[in-house]
Amino acid sequence: MSGLISNVVYNTQALNNHSAGLQVTGNNLANVNSTSYARQQLKNSTTPAEAAGGLTRYTIEQIRDAVLDENIVRENADLGSLEAQNDVLNQLNSLFAESLQENLSTSLEYSTDSDSTGLTAALDSFFAAWSDYSVDPSDSTAQEIVYQSGEMLVEYFNTMSSRLDEIETDVNTRISDDVDEANTLLNEIASLNEQIVRAELGGNDTATTLRNQRQEIVEELGKILNISTDEQANGTLIISSTDNTGATVTLLNHTTVNSLTNNAGVLGLADGTTLGLSSGSLYGYSAVLTGDIADARSDLDLLAANLTSSVNTAYGADFFDAAGLTAGTIALDSALTADSIYADLNNASGNEIALAISELASSEIAGLGNTFQGYTITTASAIAASYSNNQTQLEYQELVSTMLDEQRTSISGVNLNEEVTNMMVLQRAFQATSRVVNVLDQLLSVVVNELKA
Amino acid sequence: MRIATNTFVQSTVSRLQNLENQQQTVQNQLISGQRINSMEEDPTTAARILSDQQTQRQLIQYQENSTQAQGIAQAGYDALEYLQDLSEQAQSIVDFNAFEDTDSAVFSVQIDALIEDALRTANGQYNGDYLFAGTDTAQEPFSLSYTDNDGNAFLNADGDPVQRYVYNGNDSGREIAVADGVAISPYTDGDTNQSIADFLNAMLDYSDAVAAGDTAAIKDASNVVQDAENVLVDGMSNLSMKQFRMETLESSNAAKYSALSSEVTALRAVDLNEATISMLNIQNAYSAALSTTSMVMDTTILNYI
């Protein structure tokens, strides 16, 4: 049986444990609204030798599910990819979208030309001008309108091409920014790796705050590119991704960072490896750049090239500059003026030429496999479908991420009621232990003061 | 499942945001009366709507063209009808039962006035374009000349050069697109235009015959005028047929346009009942989410300490 002094020591230790427990609970309560915070728990442990005397030691544990954390990082990468694509597709869709708000009369008898916008409407206006001109090729006003509508159409193509250039530049800038951001995050994780290893050298305490910070940064990094993590026994985290052959490549080993590089859009690593990304915002931007944006540009250029060749063939001369075969370079022929159109067409064959050009509006163009307007609508519709699909996938992915977050919160999140209950238990325990110490104090007082005689 | 305190807040906020988005969509539908307000909402349907609207715009263009073409055809018809009237007036001037030599000069002057009127009508314009010139708009289609279009001189019975009316236009007819794949020329054809020159020359011969006072020659010339007039009537009939065809196509275009309008309306229009009920459901769900969460969050162990 232990003596009074030993009992005082044991109970002091117990008071320390309860005090630590109250600190942990207080810490949990203070972080109830911190999203990256994983609740902590005091774990008492007793060695066999100490058990007889009731002496306990404690460790502070962080309640985390490593598998869930890994899942969240992986799903974040998919979310990052879809969000990046969504942002760009939104811009692309706005550029190509055709107005559905046209207020055409329900009866042809009372209809007039609408003030609709979009490339289809611009093409319609161009061919309508030719149709008007075919009625009277000697009409100088109609000839002026043909010229103006041609200019407007060319400007529409040029503006769309410029906007596509801007979107491309914007995406490339975002890729560069994300590469810089990823490198910054890798360096921060490297720094935290070192701090965690140092903090956990004793092995008793886990560096919970540092680990929370690191997990938060890892999840941010996971939104930029697909990564996998491997925690070592000493607490350090190895971060890897995949190269263009699908093999694993190390981005971070303890404190050694293999930085990301962006060589004219080709994403690689400082050691010369070319990355083969499958998710994350970098993948999303690259995919939309080489997919939807490239397709949109190709469609627009094909439309411009076919318009130039078809109209020039029907006109019998260069109405559009024969060299301008892309949306960015399409232009009216430099020698063309409103007067030159009049000079070209105010003759016996003028009506046939104007009619032939106006009929292009409803003719299937061999190079497009569709009418000009039909092809434009198909292109706009394909982009809208891509955007719509992306939105659906994004909503689903957000749902998955939310679900995983909720799962993690259910494990790692702080519950006020639970913490208050813990606090009450610890307070009662503290009070009870304090009473024991008081009794021991009284006993010691009797032993020391009253039995001395 | 263990529920963390923040789970209530996070899931409620997420749910409310979701409901707000749904509410916004239905509100837009109710305000605009349209189920689809942008392409990404339903790309396939939007493509059909755009395609239909593009066809509608094309039909509007055909309608405008057709109106103009019918105006031209009507102007041509009226001109030919007037020429026919002039022909009948000219032929009725001479009353063979009471014809006297002294009348010749007077009748001839009257016929010449009718010829001038006929020439003015034949050279008439519609919207600044000659009605009977084919596609040659550079000059008046009918004029007096000493030579024909091939440069051969016109000579009278005595071999003296004389002036005759020649047709300066061409055989082409300016066509106007009035329906999908259909372009119609609202003008008279080259043969009809040439027959107007023949009519004018027949009137000239008739005037000369009346001036000469030769009854037999007058009768012969009158018959020639009548023959030329018949060709003009054929031209009128031809223009009438074109007008009828254009009106038929216009009706067909109008029917097609109405069908497209109905289709666009059906594709775009929102079902108001469905949208209203959907709005009520969303509003109820919103209120329920708010009150349930507030009830759950209102009760904590803190109330009992």
Side-chain angles (χ1 to χ4, degrees):
Chain A
M1 187 181 171
S2 55
L4 283 175
I5 300 297
S6 302
N7 266 317
V8 170
V9 172
Y10 298 152
N11 282 286
T12 307
Q13 180 64 47
L15 282 174
N16 281 341
N17 281 18
H18 300 324
S19 173
L22 283 169
Q23 277 180 11
V24 166
T25 304
N27 201 23
N28 284 345
L29 286 171
N31 285 288
V32 67
N33 290 321
S34 305
T35 48
S36 63
Y37 181 78
R39 71 191 164 99
Q40 297 171 355
Q41 200 172 42
L42 188 82
K43 190 174 180 186
N44 291 317
S45 63
T46 308
T47 62
E50 293 161 348
L55 179 67
T56 55
R57 295 174 185 278
Y58 67 87
T59 51
I60 298 173
E61 282 184 346
Q62 201 172 28
I63 310 299
R64 272 197 181 281
D65 184 333
V67 175
L68 204 53
D69 283 347
E70 185 76 20
N71 281 346
I72 286 174
V73 170
R74 192 177 56 244
E75 295 302 332
N76 266 358
D78 287 339
L79 186 65
S81 166
L82 290 168
E83 280 177 345
Q85 290 181 53
N86 188 266
D87 201 16
V88 182
L89 284 171
N90 186 16
Q91 292 181 52
L92 203 58
N93 185 51
S94 302
L95 179 60
F96 278 82
E98 299 282 333
S99 169
L100 293 172
Q101 301 303 323
E102 193 166 15
N103 291 318
L104 289 166
S105 163
T106 51
S107 165
L108 182 60
E109 196 180 346
Y110 304 109
S111 291
T112 54
D113 277 338
S114 62
D115 53 353
S116 57
T117 56
L119 185 55
T120 312
L123 283 163
D124 277 343
S125 297
F126 175 70
F127 290 122
W130 277 106
S131 188
D132 284 340
Y133 194 32
S134 74
V135 175
D136 187 2
S138 65
D139 183 351
S140 58
T141 308
Q143 136 239 321
E144 183 68 35
I145 292 171
V146 163
Y147 182 79
Q148 296 292 343
S149 67
E151 254 190 344
M152 278 170 59
L153 184 60
V154 161
E155 280 170 11
Y156 208 101
F157 270 106
N158 294 161
T159 305
M160 286 188 80
S161 178
S162 300
R163 282 284 298 121
L164 266 181
D165 288 344
E166 285 170 16
I167 292 173
E168 256 183 37
T169 306
D170 184 39
V171 172
N172 281 319
T173 306
R174 290 183 197 200
I175 288 175
S176 295
D177 289 348
D178 276 1
V179 166
D180 293 343
E181 175 73 8
N183 286 333
T184 305
L185 294 174
L186 281 170
N187 282 310
E188 284 180 20
I189 296 169
S191 169
L192 285 166
N193 269 349
E194 192 168 19
Q195 291 177 55
I196 288 168
V197 170
R198 278 187 194 164
E200 295 182 351
L201 270 179
N204 285 336
D205 294 332
T206 51
T208 52
T209 307
L210 294 173
R211 280 173 176 271
N212 283 340
Q213 281 179 25
R214 187 174 68 182
Q215 181 60 28
E216 194 175 13
I217 295 171
V218 166
E219 284 169 19
E220 274 183 53
L221 183 65
K223 272 197 164 184
I224 297 175
L225 74 164
N226 53 302
I227 54 169
S228 57
T229 56
D230 182 16
E231 186 172 339
Q232 303 297 293
N234 63 356
T236 198
L237 203 61
I238 294 175
I239 296 180
S240 312
S241 189
T242 47
D243 69 7
N244 56 351
T245 64
T248 303
V249 286
T250 305
L251 302 177
L252 171 69
N253 188 353
H254 186 46
T255 57
T256 309
V257 175
N258 192 5
S259 300
L260 271 72
T261 57
N262 178 16
N263 187 9
V266 179
L267 299 172
L269 295 173
D271 65 5
T273 310
T274 302
L275 282 172
L277 301 177
S278 57
S279 55
S281 58
L282 282 175
Y283 168 77
Y285 287 132
S286 300
V288 82
L289 200 59
T290 54
D292 294 288
I293 294 178
D295 290 347
R297 180 175 292 285
S298 161
D299 286 350
L300 203 58
D301 286 347
L302 189 65
L303 192 67
N306 277 279
L307 185 72
T308 298
S309 59
S310 301
V311 172
N312 284 357
T313 303
Y315 190 65
D318 283 352
F319 184 85
F320 292 113
D321 180 0
L325 296 175
T326 66
T329 57
I330 188 172
L332 294 181
D333 188 70
S334 56
L336 192 84
T337 62
D339 289 340
S340 74
I341 295 172
Y342 184 73
D344 285 343
L345 299 189
N346 186 27
N347 54 43
S349 57
N351 164 251
E352 284 174 33
I353 291 170
L355 196 63
I357 296 175
S358 74
E359 281 176 352
L360 286 173
S362 52
S363 307
E364 181 170 316
I365 307 300
L368 301 175
N370 205 334
T371 60
F372 285 115
Q373 291 94 323
Y375 189 78
T376 310
I377 291 170
T378 304
T379 301
S381 160
I383 292 168
S386 188
Y387 180 47
S388 175
N389 288 341
N390 173 273
Q391 276 189 316
T392 307
Q393 285 179 359
L394 183 59
E395 279 167 22
Y396 170 75
Q397 193 58 41
E398 280 172 345
L399 204 64
V400 170
S401 292
T402 304
M403 198 181 70
L404 284 172
D405 274 340
E406 281 176 2
Q407 274 186 26
R408 180 161 69 176
T409 308
S410 77
I411 294 168
S412 305
V414 176
N415 182 304
L416 271 179
N417 293 343
E418 185 181 52
E419 296 303 328
V420 169
T421 310
N422 284 344
M423 188 181 272
M424 288 164 63
V425 168
L426 288 165
Q427 279 176 339
R428 296 279 185 271
F430 195 93
Q431 286 166 357
T433 310
S434 298
R435 282 195 172 188
V436 173
V437 171
N438 277 339
V439 171
L440 288 171
D441 182 47
Q442 286 170 10
L443 287 172
L444 273 173
S445 175
V446 170
V447 170
V448 173
N449 298 323
E450 297 181 18
L451 298 181
K452 60 185 176 184
Chain B
M1 184 180 171
R2 182 177 173 277
I3 307 291
T5 304
N6 272 346
T7 304
F8 290 120
V9 181
Q10 283 167 358
S11 60
T12 303
V13 168
S14 168
R15 180 70 185 143
L16 291 179
Q17 278 175 346
N18 189 17
L19 286 167
E20 265 180 15
N21 290 340
Q22 287 180 32
Q23 189 167 318
Q24 190 64 51
T25 304
V26 179
Q27 260 179 357
N28 286 344
Q29 289 180 347
L30 286 170
I31 291 166
S32 65
Q34 310 295 342
R35 186 174 63 84
I36 305 169
N37 287 300
S38 58
M39 283 194 80
E40 69 272 14
E41 287 172 11
D42 186 347
T44 311
T45 307
R48 279 181 63 190
I49 291 171
L50 285 171
S51 181
D52 286 352
Q53 286 181 338
Q54 195 265 321
T55 309
Q56 282 183 296
R57 287 199 293 271
Q58 185 89 47
L59 290 171
I60 292 171
Q61 181 63 41
Y62 289 144
Q63 166 76 11
E64 288 171 1
N65 288 359
S66 182
T67 303
Q68 216 164 343
Q70 288 191 57
I72 293 168
Q74 187 60 48
Y77 182 91
D78 291 345
L80 289 178
E81 194 175 42
Y82 189 59
L83 289 178
Q84 187 195 12
D85 283 350
L86 292 175
S87 167
E88 283 168 5
Q89 278 183 48
Q91 290 175 74
S92 64
I93 283 174
V94 179
D95 180 357
F96 289 105
N97 295 325
F99 184 73
E100 293 179 12
D101 287 348
T102 50
D103 297 332
S104 298
V106 176
F107 289 164
S108 179
V109 168
Q110 287 178 359
I111 292 168
D112 285 346
L114 292 176
I115 292 172
E116 272 183 35
D117 212 359
L119 180 65
R120 198 164 43 248
T121 304
N123 283 333
Q125 293 180 320
Y126 183 84
N127 275 351
D129 290 323
Y130 294 112
L131 280 168
F132 303 109
T135 55
D136 188 348
T137 56
Q139 57 191 324
E140 287 189 336
F142 304 100
S143 61
L144 278 171
S145 171
Y146 283 103
T147 57
D148 64 14
N149 290 333
D150 296 327
N152 301 315
F154 292 119
L155 302 172
N156 63 10
D158 300 329
D160 297 327
V162 288
Q163 283 190 315
R164 306 285 288 172
Y165 284 104
V166 291
Y167 175 55
N168 303 312
N170 58 28
D171 290 342
S172 305
R174 190 188 301 161
E175 292 189 329
I176 295 174
V178 291
D180 218 7
V182 181
I184 294 176
S185 172
Y187 295 94
T188 47
D189 57 23
D191 287 345
T192 305
N193 294 345
Q194 184 59 55
S195 75
I196 293 173
D198 296 342
F199 167 74
L200 291 169
N201 287 325
M203 290 281 278
L204 267 185
D205 293 342
Y206 180 58
S207 174
D208 289 346
V210 171
D214 181 348
T215 311
I218 293 171
K219 281 187 178 173
D220 287 344
S222 177
N223 287 337
V224 174
V225 169
Q226 184 58 50
D227 289 344
E229 182 192 320
N230 289 341
V231 178
L232 296 182
V233 171
D234 288 345
M236 287 164 63
S237 165
N238 187 266
L239 283 179
S240 290
M241 283 305 295
K242 285 180 177 178
Q243 276 185 295
F244 177 71
R245 195 176 165 208
M246 284 188 277
E247 281 167 10
T248 306
L249 287 168
E250 210 171 86
S251 300
S252 164
N253 285 344
K256 192 174 173 184
Y257 185 94
S258 293
L260 287 168
S261 284
S262 302
E263 186 173 301
V264 167
T265 304
L267 289 170
R268 287 181 65 183
V270 69
D271 183 332
L272 280 177
N273 294 337
E274 191 182 312
T276 308
I277 289 168
S278 177
M279 177 63 107
L280 286 173
N281 285 341
I282 293 166
Q283 285 173 341
N284 287 338
Y286 196 96
S287 304
L290 270 179
S291 58
T292 307
T293 309
S294 66
M295 276 171 64
V296 170
M297 290 183 71
D298 194 41
T299 312
T300 78
I301 198 167
L302 295 171
N303 298 109
Y304 304 100
I305 297 173

